[in-house]
Amino acid sequence: METSSSGAVRTGAFDLRAVLRRWPSLLGLTAAVLSLATGVNRESVAIVVCVAALCYLGAAASRRPWVAWAGIVGGSLVVVVSELAGLVWWAGVGVAALALVVGGLLGRVPRLALTAQTAALAGFGGLAVAALFPAPRVGLALVGVVLVSHAGWDLVHYRRDQVVPRSLAEFCMLLDVPLGVGAVILAVTG
């Protein structure tokens, strides 16, 4: 083991600090692999899409980027509580989204960011929910494509470093692309 001039710990060609700087990528990729390994279906992938979009909306509505990370847990709780209350999970996501929009408007957050994130949730989330209604394989392919397209949204926010932390956008890209592509492959190969 040696130390480079930048202070990075190197083992041969392996740079531990470089790997640790990419922790959001590693976390996103790990989540995608675990999801694929434990079995995905159109509903589980649709939930990922909707919770991801809800995280972005929460950050825009609060004007606090870190809220997006908390939104992963918050959005997941919305799904669970909705189902425990006897509602379909996506209705709970809709109620949470409405509350965030109203809170953002009352808090006078910038309208452009709030409007963009609301439209993104309506678009990505609407397509994800629509994927629950056709045949299971068609729905899985559709929601996989929606999830991969959400990675484009992540990339925009990563490059601009706005609304959400870059670390969350990076995490989402490395979750969305492998999980979405995996869902499409599973849908096609059956």
Side-chain angles (χ1 to χ4, degrees):
M1 189 158 43
E2 60 188 69
T3 305
S4 70
S5 60
S6 65
V9 177
R10 298 176 69 79
T11 307
F14 183 76
D15 185 345
L16 181 60
R17 287 191 185 173
V19 171
L20 293 177
R21 278 194 300 274
R22 297 277 59 104
W23 69 266
S25 292
L26 293 171
L27 186 60
L29 188 57
T30 300
V33 168
L34 287 174
S35 292
L36 290 166
T38 58
V40 296
N41 58 47
R42 62 188 173 169
E43 190 158 14
S44 65
V45 179
I47 288 170
V48 171
V49 171
C50 290
V51 169
L54 194 61
C55 291
Y56 276 71
L57 179 59
S62 66
R63 214 178 193 183
R64 291 178 173 84
W66 67 266
V67 167
W69 277 111
I72 295 171
V73 174
S76 300
L77 286 174
V78 165
V79 169
V80 170
V81 169
S82 297
E83 291 188 342
L84 289 175
L87 294 171
V88 290
W89 63 265
W90 47 267
V93 169
V95 169
L98 180 62
L100 289 170
V101 170
V102 168
L105 291 172
L106 293 175
R108 298 178 185 238
V109 299
R111 297 279 170 103
L112 183 59
L114 186 63
T115 302
Q117 299 309 324
T118 302
L121 177 70
F124 292 117
L127 288 170
V129 170
L132 300 175
F133 297 100
R137 288 175 59 181
V138 172
L140 183 58
L142 173 60
V143 78
V145 170
V146 171
L147 187 57
V148 170
S149 68
H150 187 267
W153 193 243
D154 299 325
L155 181 59
V156 167
H157 289 81
Y158 179 84
R159 285 191 170 172
R160 291 182 181 169
D161 197 14
Q162 294 177 336
V163 181
V164 300
R166 289 184 108 181
S167 60
L168 182 102
E170 180 181 334
F171 161 80
C172 279
M173 282 186 283
L174 270 288
L175 169 64
D176 295 357
V177 173
L179 182 55
V181 169
V184 171
I185 291 169
L186 287 171
V188 170
T189 61

